[in-house]
Amino acid sequence: MKKRNIIIALAFFSTVLTSCNDDFVNTKPLDQLSESVVWTDPNLAEAFVTELYGGLGNGGFDEQMLASLTDEASFTHPGRGITTITESRSNPADIGWVNGTLSWQNMYTRIRACNLALANLKKATTFPTALVERLTGEAKFMRAYFYHQLVRYYGGVPIIDKAYALTDTDFLTQRNTMEECINFIVKDCDEAAALLNGKSLAAGRGSRAACLAIKSRILLYGASDLYDAATAKSKSTAMAAYATPAILAYTSGDRAARWTKAKDAAKAVLDLPGFGNALNLSAPAEKNDAVTNYQNNSLAKNGGEKELIFARYFINAKQENGGRIGLFNGPNGYHNWAGNAPIQNLVDDYEMMDGSKFSWSNPNHAASPYDNRDPRFYATLLYDGANWKPRTADVASKDPLNQIQTGQYELSSGSGKVSYFGLDTRKSTVEDWNGSYTGYYFRKFTDPNPSIIDQNTWQQIPWPFFRYTEAILNYVEACIELGQDAEARTWLNKIRFRSGMPAVTESGNELRERYRNERRVELSFEEHRYHDARRWMIATNTLGAKVKIINVFGSLKPGKTVTLYKYDPSSFDYSYKVVDMDPGKENRTWLDKMYFLPIHRDEMNRNNKLVQNPGY
């Protein structure tokens, strides 16, 4: 009986499976669309192009920031691969920490998607012409962006302008020269700018202005020392020994011709209407106004929106890794993580408000190092004694005045004194493991609104890939290199007046040095210093310099009794000592091989036609 029942059951299921087999095989996946469907539907085609922007990631708002690979900051938490780069230990097997927005594999994955879009949009004859032009322009813009990322990190790379198909047989290709790569990027930018001209696009999408901004940046790089074969060889033994310099050198025309191209490209951005904030002042802004100007530009509000040419916006939904810049970098005494902590090397480069250099040899500067500095200092950094937001409820009673405490202080205890470590130190009573090693915290991009509790809030602050002020600085640099100092000063002083700083009056090399410091301060933490120090070939003395930190000590003045600490020069004598960071934490050095990143060994194994960068 059991055997008969089994046979009947098997027969039944066999019939059911046979009758349903065709339907089962033909079932379409619910989470995927075929290529033929996507490129016959304008809405789906637009969705495909929109996804290209996914290659931008969180912009620069990841927990680890590029600033910590430079003389702007030091990353507080070990084991992230950052010291592999800062200590010049990168190699093809271990290239160190590389953000996904610049990795070789991710960029080429996105470039392939751009190539797919461009190929299929050519065949989209039923779509509205204006839509095809816009989507084609956006795809070309994004391809130019991804290639500009590869070129400025790796040098000349293989130019792939088609999407490989299964029928292709040869996937191996050599690296193109730097000149070919830059020319390709410029061509994509020009064509995209023409296609996007007059088109109305949502914030965060490519535009004519954004195309011109990429062109300005890449041509500025192409004119710089690192990209000039003769100059690079004279400044670097590694570059001099390189067998194929054309991969890393831009050889189009002479230096003057390249700087003229860079100047013209930057001026094309400056001539765009509607961009720039508070740039028409005839004298320096008052200090408080200047701090507000810089803060507004960093937060892209109250006029700062007009600074943004192309940005990564964060909308409504929480970002898994992005949009929590206050949590990632804020003080541990506020329950934040102190990730990318500013270092003294940067702090010392902020001028005094009168335009003179800060110097520890000046007794007045050394006694009060945070007084009368460039107003951008106060909108960028949190330092000992700085006023900040209300402390959280569990800490408020320890600091009712909401002042940053990164020092060690004397307090009264009975008839004697005790040593007290500030709430924002690594010996704090609040999350000491998240304290800064450097004595500073990151303020820029963090909304000072006291109702925003950083560790609980995903802030919707855009990341500025390209802002108008960068184009001004690009123009100034090109003018200086062409000997057009008066024009350079005119535009540089627009930025300085907005920032509450007096006009520069220098010429020649002195003007160049003032400009470079201005660029360092104005664009701090915006991912420029990494590239600027390399393309100027000044990395040995900047990126390779030992990390400097500050030790702050407050001793009670005679006759003073204080049991609850607050920053108070009337009760404390403060001393400031600059020291090297413990080499066990970070021991920076510079080797010339670090001018460009190494290509990972896995990529070399996949494509044996690739040539490795010098020094690796």
Side-chain angles (χ1 to χ4, degrees), residues 6-159:
I6 291 173
I7 292 173
I8 292 172
L10 288 174
F12 171 77
F13 283 114
S14 176
T15 302
V16 170
L17 290 173
T18 301
S19 63
C20 297
N21 188 55
D22 290 342
D23 291 339
F24 178 77
V25 171
N26 292 328
T27 298
K28 295 179 180 180
L30 299 178
D31 61 343
Q32 300 176 32
L33 293 169
S34 68
E35 185 175 351
S36 61
V37 171
V38 170
W39 299 109
T40 55
D41 185 321
N43 293 320
L44 293 177
E46 178 155 10
F48 186 96
V49 171
T50 298
E51 206 281 328
L52 297 177
Y53 295 90
L56 300 174
N58 295 308
F61 283 152
D62 289 306
E63 184 183 349
Q64 291 117 255
M65 299 179 72
L66 201 66
S68 288
L69 304 185
T70 76
D71 54 350
E72 293 179 326
S74 176
F75 195 70
T76 300
H77 312 295
R80 307 292 182 91
I82 287 177
T83 55
T84 302
I85 296 176
T86 60
E87 297 174 2
S88 291
R89 294 184 282 107
S90 294
N91 63 80
D94 178 13
I95 62 178
W97 173 74
V98 174
N99 189 303
T101 61
L102 59 94
S103 79
W104 184 284
Q105 180 177 350
N106 285 356
M107 291 300 94
Y108 273 110
T109 298
R110 295 293 176 174
I111 287 168
R112 182 178 189 277
C114 292
N115 289 335
L116 278 171
L118 292 169
N120 283 286
L121 285 167
K122 287 181 180 179
K123 299 180 289 186
T125 56
T126 61
F127 289 8
T129 301
L131 177 65
V132 172
E133 289 179 351
R134 177 169 67 79
L135 296 182
T136 300
E138 290 186 78
K140 281 182 176 288
F141 163 74
M142 289 306 301
R143 185 170 69 177
Y145 178 83
F146 294 137
Y147 267 117
H148 120 283
Q149 284 288 83
L150 286 169
V151 166
R152 63 186 187 149
Y153 285 99
Y154 298 97
V157 296
I159 296 174

Side-chain angles (χ1 to χ4, degrees), residues 294-327:
Y294 193 70
Q295 180 177 287
N296 287 341
N297 288 343
S298 300
L299 301 179
K301 66 180 185 180
N302 299 327
E305 305 92 333
K306 293 189 293 183
E307 270 287 298
L308 297 180
I309 292 177
F310 182 63
R312 169 71 165 93
Y313 291 82
F314 300 90
I315 54 174
N316 297 328
K318 295 178 180 179
Q319 305 298 314
E320 182 179 352
N321 295 308
R324 301 188 77 183
I325 199 73
L327 170 66

Side-chain angles (χ1 to χ4, degrees), residues 252 335 375 378 442 446 453 457 595:
S252 176
H335 298 292
Y378 305 102
F442 186 116
T446 307
I453 301 174
T457 306
Y595 276 120

Side-chain angles (χ1 to χ4, degrees), residues 253-370:
D254 58 19
R255 292 295 296 278
R258 284 175 235 150
W259 281 117
T260 299
K261 283 184 180 180
K263 177 191 169 186
D264 292 344
K267 189 59 164 60
V269 180
L270 301 191
D271 290 341
L272 293 168
F275 290 103
N277 183 40
L279 288 166
N280 294 315
L281 303 179
S282 58
E286 295 297 324
K287 177 182 176 181
N288 290 339
D289 291 338
V291 172
T292 299
N293 288 339
Y294 193 70
Q295 180 177 287
N296 287 341
N297 288 343
S298 300
L299 301 179
K301 66 180 185 180
N302 299 327
E305 305 92 333
K306 293 189 293 183
E307 270 287 298
L308 297 180
I309 292 177
F310 182 63
R312 169 71 165 93
Y313 291 82
F314 300 90
I315 54 174
N316 297 328
K318 295 178 180 179
Q319 305 298 314
E320 182 179 352
N321 295 308
R324 301 188 77 183
I325 199 73
L327 170 66
F328 294 159
N329 298 305
N332 60 301
Y334 286 79
H335 298 292
N336 297 318
W337 299 350
N340 303 276
I343 61 178
Q344 194 68 43
N345 312 52
L346 170 65
V347 173
D348 287 351
D349 281 345
Y350 283 85
E351 296 174 359
M352 305 302 291
M353 273 205 73
D354 63 3
S356 62
K357 289 185 177 181
F358 172 86
S359 173
W360 286 103
S361 299
N362 183 316
N364 293 325
H365 294 179
S368 302
Y370 307 135

Side-chain angles (χ1 to χ4, degrees), residues 481-552:
E481 298 304 332
L482 290 168
Q484 300 168 10
D485 291 353
E487 180 74 353
R489 287 192 295 267
T490 294
W491 283 90
L492 188 59
N493 288 333
K494 289 177 181 287
I495 298 172
R496 287 180 66 82
F497 285 175
R498 178 180 68 189
S499 305
M501 297 297 290
V504 296
T505 58
E506 291 87 346
S507 299
N509 190 59
E510 289 77 15
L511 178 59
R512 179 184 294 110
E513 292 305 311
R514 293 297 296 273
Y515 156 76
R516 288 183 175 183
N517 196 68
E518 189 73 15
R519 186 178 178 101
R520 169 160 167 70
V521 168
E522 175 69 25
L523 300 180
S524 62
F525 302 105
E526 295 181 33
E527 298 194 336
H528 289 278
R529 185 63 174 177
Y530 178 97
H531 301 286
D532 287 343
R534 284 169 165 78
R535 65 184 182 85
W536 293 332
M537 300 190 78
I538 62 170
T540 299
N541 298 321
T542 56
L543 306 188
K546 301 302 181 186
V547 172
K548 301 291 185 182
I549 66 175
I550 193 79
N551 289 333
V552 180

